Amino acid sequence: MLFRSWLTAGLTTVVLIFSSVGRSAAATSSLELSTGEPMQATEIDRTPSPFPNTELAAAGISPGIGPVSGSQLYRQRLAALQSGQLYTQLSRDSFQSDWMAASEQPTYEEWKALLAAEAQLVAQTPGNSHLLIVLGDSLSLWMPSAGLPDRQLWLNQGISGDTTGGILDRISAIADTQPDRIYLLAGVNDLKNGVEDREILENYRQILQQLREEHPQTETIVQSILPTRLSTIPNDRIRQLNRQLAAIAKQEGATFLDLSIYLTDARGELHPSLTTDGLHLNDRGYEAWQWVLQQIEAGIAMN
C-alpha cells in the first residue's frame, strides 16, 4: 500500500508555524507515526482570519460560521443531500436557511440513514476518485471539512456517541464505495459506557476484517484512542488499549497511527489548549489532527 511504503521510508523533521493576530508559536516535531517518541504539544494561539460578508453581517450571522449543534449539522447535511451534493464539498455556512433554526435532535437511526444515503451518493456519482473516509464518533463527526487535505473527496461517517459495536453494525453502508483510505477512530464512548477492553478489541478486529473483505484495495488507518482530561476514563487504560490496537491493526493488515503524541501535554493528558471539555476537540485540536492528516496525504502524493 502507498501509505505503508511511505511510512516505512519515514518523514523528515518539519517546522510548524501557527500564526495569530499579534504573535505566533512554533513547534518542531518529527512525524514518526509508528515508533516516534511522544511530542509534548505546545499551546497554540490561533485566531481565524475574518472574511467579510456584508449580507451575513447585516442579518446578524457570523460569516463562515457553520452549525454548532447536532440538529443544525443534520439539517445542513440533509439539505445538501437533497440537492445532490455532499456537505464536505461546500462552505461551512451553506444552506443556512435550512438549519439556522433547527432544534429537534435527530435520532441515531436518522443519522445512520443520512450517512448511508451520503455513501450511496458518492458510490453512484461517476468520477469520485481519491475518496477518503473518516469513520467514528463525534470526534470524526465534527471534523471541519475546510481543514482537510484538498484534491480528495472526503466522506464523513461519524456519529455522535457511537461505539465500536455501533460502527461494526453500520459499516456495510459504505460497502459500495471505493475509498483510497479509511481513517478509523473510536472507543472512547465504549469506555464511557463501561464496555470491557476485550469487547472493544474484538469489535475493532471484526471491523478491520469486514473492511478488508469489502475494500481489499483500501488502506485502513486505525487512529489511536485519544487521551482525555477526565478522571472517569483513565489514560493508562487508553494507552494500554492503544498498544493492543496497534498489534491488532498489524495482524489485520491495517496501519496504526498514534495521534496522541501530537495532542498531549507533559502528563500524557489531552492538552488543555486543544479541548472544549476534556474529551472533545476545539478548533485548535482539530487543526493539530488535520495537520497530521495533511502530512500523511502529502507524503503519499509525493510517491
Side-chain angles (χ1 to χ4, degrees):
M1 293 291 185
L2 281 175
F3 176 79
R4 190 170 291 118
S5 299
W6 167 77
L7 179 59
T8 302
L11 281 177
T12 57
T13 299
V14 297
V15 177
L16 282 171
I17 304 295
F18 293 93
S19 62
S20 64
V21 178
R23 72 189 185 103
S24 66
T28 304
S29 68
S30 178
L31 191 60
E32 297 291 343
L33 304 186
S34 58
T35 60
E37 293 298 320
M39 181 192 75
Q40 302 308 326
T42 57
E43 184 173 356
I44 301 166
D45 183 11
R46 183 180 176 93
T47 303
S49 300
F51 48 99
N53 186 314
T54 54
E55 285 188 9
L56 294 179
I61 301 172
S62 299
I65 301 302
V68 295
S69 68
S71 57
Q72 290 181 336
L73 181 59
Y74 177 85
R75 293 300 306 179
Q76 182 191 52
R77 292 174 66 161
L78 183 61
L81 183 64
Q82 290 172 341
S83 70
Q85 302 177 82
L86 198 63
Y87 91 106
T88 56
Q89 297 179 290
L90 306 174
S91 63
R92 292 182 65 184
D93 56 2
S94 60
F95 296 101
Q96 280 193 334
S97 62
D98 291 276
W99 58 259
M100 279 295 293
S103 59
E104 183 177 354
Q105 289 294 335
T107 66
Y108 180 76
E109 293 302 318
E110 287 174 327
W111 271 113
K112 283 177 59 177
L114 175 66
L115 268 58
E118 289 179 339
Q120 282 302 303
L121 174 65
V122 170
Q124 295 170 4
T125 303
N128 280 334
S129 57
H130 304 298
L131 172 65
L132 304 178
I133 296 177
V134 289
L135 176 63
D137 50 34
S138 61
L139 289 168
S140 297
L141 171 68
W142 287 102
M143 172 77 79
S145 302
L148 290 169
D150 54 12
R151 295 185 297 277
Q152 287 108 346
L153 175 63
W154 289 85
L155 177 63
N156 192 310
Q157 292 283 295
I159 297 181
S160 182
D162 213 354
T163 62
T164 55
I167 292 170
L168 178 60
D169 288 340
R170 65 180 173 89
I171 53 173
S172 59
I174 63 172
D176 292 336
T177 64
Q178 297 181 355
D180 290 344
R181 280 167 296 286
I182 298 173
Y183 288 93
L184 171 64
L185 174 59
V188 73
N189 288 313
D190 297 72
L191 298 177
K192 287 175 60 180
N193 296 339
V195 179
E196 294 186 359
D197 292 7
R198 61 183 180 181
E199 182 176 344
I200 297 172
L201 295 170
E202 180 57 28
N203 286 340
Y204 255 103
R205 187 181 296 279
Q206 291 186 47
I207 289 170
L208 294 178
Q209 290 174 347
Q210 184 171 336
L211 289 177
R212 187 175 71 245
E213 179 180 346
E214 295 177 346
H215 307 277
Q217 302 303 315
T218 297
E219 185 80 22
T220 298
I221 301 174
V222 178
Q223 300 168 105
S224 60
I225 301 173
L226 298 185
T228 77
R229 300 187 66 82
L230 306 180
S231 60
T232 53
I233 307 178
N235 284 321
D236 285 344
R237 183 182 177 189
I238 291 177
R239 284 188 283 270
Q240 175 62 22
L241 271 172
N242 282 333
R243 285 190 287 270
Q244 294 171 290
L245 284 177
I248 289 174
K250 183 177 181 180
Q251 293 165 7
E252 299 300 336
T255 301
F256 184 77
L257 170 60
D258 190 359
L259 286 175
S260 64
I261 63 176
Y262 303 100
L263 301 173
T264 56
D265 61 13
R267 299 175 58 185
E269 297 180 344
L270 185 58
H271 198 287
S273 70
L274 305 179
T275 180
T276 59
D277 56 4
L279 177 64
H280 297 94
L281 299 178
N282 59 20
D283 286 345
R284 297 170 181 174
Y286 278 113
E287 287 171 359
W289 183 5
Q290 289 172 332
W291 176 82
V292 178
L293 301 186
Q294 289 165 1
Q295 304 314 302
I296 291 171
E297 294 302 322
I300 292 172
M302 292 173 61
N303 283 272

